[in-house]
């Protein structure tokens, strides 16, 4: 009975149900140390290792020497993730060959469902310069901690969705954090922000 | 899916009504209802549309229903302190003399438990229930996986 009541509450308040059910395994264990507004680490101080859609291991150091654009999401996300991926595809198209040497990366926050194959299949619908990364839950927690990003699983009946950091992170070629493109940012400002790290 | 339901859906898919056309319900007008193609049926689908209330009384969209989803709901994507979440929306207010959009990154119809693959170029019906105006069924056109609008000509200008 108590559980049923909580599940109903979950339909109203997805955030609250995570807290109340206390099923905290998916929560980034570093989230307490990473208050919102804290900047990501420089890439050369990141320690994550993840797997891309081709099954290859990618570590932070692999990105150094080229500017980098990273965002968090998951392929079961019907609204904001395809919208962000479409926006990024548009930006890359506008930048043209200038963006060929930009590391453009989606890090999945849903390791249960987003295998490398699933990511590859999904990303084939968007600009082919976008790399998808996934891994085990601890690996993704490490990546989130490196970026000072957060994610959590929100269960509702037999489905779940993921809350996650929405911004797009930009880094210079030497790994220094440069900027964030907000989820609602006017596209006219997004491309100039990317150009600044490409220079 | 049983055969009767499949036949019904097939006939709806071949409906000549265009999703870009406005559907009228009293002083409420619904147009540009669109969705994205699905990869299989395990991921939730989405519905976006535009509602105009030309009347003098406030109304609200209180629920959606469609045969292609076992669990359709109204959701709103909200970004709080940089974190995106997608809570259930009890209703979408449609004030008098106003236009309200279910659009990417905001309100959306969330279609859990898809009963069929949503293919680009096809359409499916969604029934909207308004608190005052009642029910209306509109055709939803399925756009590409990466679409960001209904693909109607007035939207492209
Ligand atoms: Cu949703």
């Amino acid at each position: 009975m108590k559980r049923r009541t909580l599940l109903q509450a979950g339909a109203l308040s997805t955030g609250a149900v995570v807290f109340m059910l206390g099923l905290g395994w998916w929560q980034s264990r570093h989230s307490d140390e990473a208050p919102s507004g804290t900047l990501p680490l420089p890439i050369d101080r990141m320690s994550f290792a993840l797997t891309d859609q081709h099954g290859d291991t990618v570590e932070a150091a692999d990105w150094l020497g080229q500017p980098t654009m990273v965002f968090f999401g998951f392929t079961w996300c019907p609204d904001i993730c395809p919208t962000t991926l479409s926006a990024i595809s548009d930006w890359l198209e506008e930048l043209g060959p200038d963006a060929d040497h930009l590391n453009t990366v989606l890090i999945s926050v849903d390791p249960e469902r987003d295998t490398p194959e699933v990511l590859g299949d999904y990303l084939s619908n968007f600009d082919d310069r976008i790399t998808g990364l996934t891994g085990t839950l601890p690996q993704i927690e490490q990546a989130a901690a490196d970026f000072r990003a957060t994610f959590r699983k929100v269960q509702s009946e037999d489905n779940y969705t993921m809350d996650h950091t929405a911004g797009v992170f930009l880094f210079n070629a030497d790994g220094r954090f440069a900027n964030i493109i907000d989820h609602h940012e006017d596209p006219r400002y997004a491309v100039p922000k990317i150009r600044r790290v490409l220079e | 899916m049983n055969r009767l339901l499949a036949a019904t859906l097939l006939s709806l898919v071949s409906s000549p009504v265009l999703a870009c056309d406005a559907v009228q319900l009293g002083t409420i007008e619904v147009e540009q209802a669109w969705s994205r193609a699905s990869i299989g049926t395990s991921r939730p689908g989405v519905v976006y549309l535009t509602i105009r209330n030309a009347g003098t009384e406030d109304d609200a969209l209180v629920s959606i229903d469609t045969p292609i989803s076992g669990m359709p709901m109204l959701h709103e994507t909200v970004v709080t302190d940089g974190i995106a979440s997608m809570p259930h929306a009890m209703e979408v207010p449609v004030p008098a003399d106003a236009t309200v959009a279910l659009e990417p990154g905001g309100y959306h119809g969330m279609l859990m438990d898809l009963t069929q693959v949503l293919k680009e170029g096809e359409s499916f019906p969604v029934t909207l229930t308004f608190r005052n105006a009642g029910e209306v069924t509109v055709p939803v056109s399925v756009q590409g996986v990466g679409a960001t609008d209904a693909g109607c000509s007035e939207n492209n200008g």
Side-chain angles (χ1 to χ4, degrees):
Chain A
M1 183 60 205
K2 191 179 180 197
R3 185 175 161 79
R4 171 184 289 264
T5 309
L6 289 175
L7 285 172
Q8 287 170 342
L12 303 176
S13 171
T14 51
V17 82
V18 169
F19 176 73
M20 289 190 292
L21 287 172
L23 302 176
W25 63 264
W26 54 75
Q27 268 190 296
S28 169
R29 65 189 166 205
H30 303 281
S31 59
D32 290 345
E33 302 163 18
S36 59
T38 306
L39 299 179
L41 291 176
I43 290 171
D44 57 1
R45 285 179 51 210
M46 292 185 179
S47 49
F48 72 83
L50 294 166
T51 304
D52 72 14
Q53 73 265 46
H54 313 294
D56 297 325
T57 299
V58 173
E59 295 180 1
D62 298 336
W63 291 345
L64 293 171
Q66 294 192 166
T68 298
M69 177 160 74
V70 179
F71 64 108
F72 289 81
F74 62 112
T75 77
W76 255 252
C77 162
D79 180 47
I80 191 171
C81 305
T83 303
T84 302
L85 278 164
S86 295
I88 286 175
S89 298
D90 289 347
W91 303 337
L92 293 177
E93 192 183 328
E94 187 174 337
L95 290 162
D98 291 354
D100 288 353
H101 299 291
L102 176 70
N103 304 309
T104 305
V105 184
L106 162 66
I107 299 179
S108 173
V109 294
D110 187 3
E112 281 178 65
R113 295 184 293 207
D114 285 340
T115 62
E117 300 74 36
V118 165
L119 269 179
D121 190 25
Y122 187 77
L123 287 173
S124 67
N125 295 286
F126 300 93
D127 193 291
D128 61 10
R129 290 171 287 186
I130 302 172
T131 297
L133 295 181
T134 187
T136 62
L137 181 62
Q139 285 179 316
I140 291 169
E141 285 177 337
Q142 180 60 56
D146 288 343
F147 285 87
R148 306 294 190 237
T150 57
F151 64 97
R152 60 180 163 262
K153 185 175 182 178
V154 180
Q155 190 81 41
S156 64
E157 312 214 359
D158 55 348
N159 288 301
Y160 71 87
T161 182
M162 305 295 300
D163 290 356
H164 59 88
T165 296
V168 178
F169 298 98
L170 289 170
F171 296 85
N172 295 295
D174 62 5
R176 278 176 305 123
F177 170 70
N179 221 329
I180 290 180
I181 302 172
D182 282 334
H183 142 71
H184 266 134
E185 185 125 358
D186 189 316
R188 284 175 301 171
Y189 302 124
V191 169
K193 277 185 176 181
I194 302 168
R195 279 200 199 283
R196 240 167 283 146
V197 299
L198 291 175
E199 279 163 6
Chain B
M1 192 178 2
N2 70 46
R3 238 170 243 177
L4 184 63
L5 182 56
T8 309
L9 290 177
L10 199 65
S11 68
L12 291 165
V13 158
S14 58
S15 158
V17 181
L18 296 172
C20 292
D21 294 344
V23 176
Q24 203 78 32
L25 173 72
T27 59
I28 299 273
E29 195 176 82
V30 180
E31 62 178 6
Q32 301 199 6
W34 66 282
S35 180
R36 294 192 180 102
S38 70
I39 304 170
T41 56
S42 55
R43 292 182 178 86
V46 76
V47 171
Y48 302 111
L49 47 84
T50 302
I51 304 164
R52 284 187 224 289
N53 181 358
T56 53
E57 281 179 40
D58 294 347
D59 207 336
L61 175 62
V62 293
S63 70
I64 58 168
D65 199 8
T66 174
I68 60 101
S69 166
M71 194 175 153
M73 291 175 87
L74 290 169
H75 275 191
E76 183 181 15
T77 293
V78 290
V79 179
T80 308
D81 295 334
I83 316 286
S85 61
M86 211 168 45
H88 172 58
M90 293 302 291
E91 60 172 48
V92 178
V94 186
D97 194 25
T99 299
V100 173
L102 277 63
E103 60 189 352
Y107 286 115
H108 54 276
M110 177 95 163
L111 309 179
M112 264 114 30
D113 303 332
L114 289 182
T115 59
Q116 63 177 75
V117 175
L118 305 183
K119 293 190 184 123
E120 185 173 357
E122 294 186 347
S123 73
F124 60 86
V126 163
T127 300
L128 309 175
T129 303
F130 293 90
R131 173 166 299 123
N132 300 328
E135 284 186 6
V136 65
T137 299
V138 302
V140 178
S141 75
V142 181
Q143 305 292 314
V145 173
T148 54
D149 62 42
C152 300
S153 55
E154 65 184 300
N155 235 27
N156 298 336

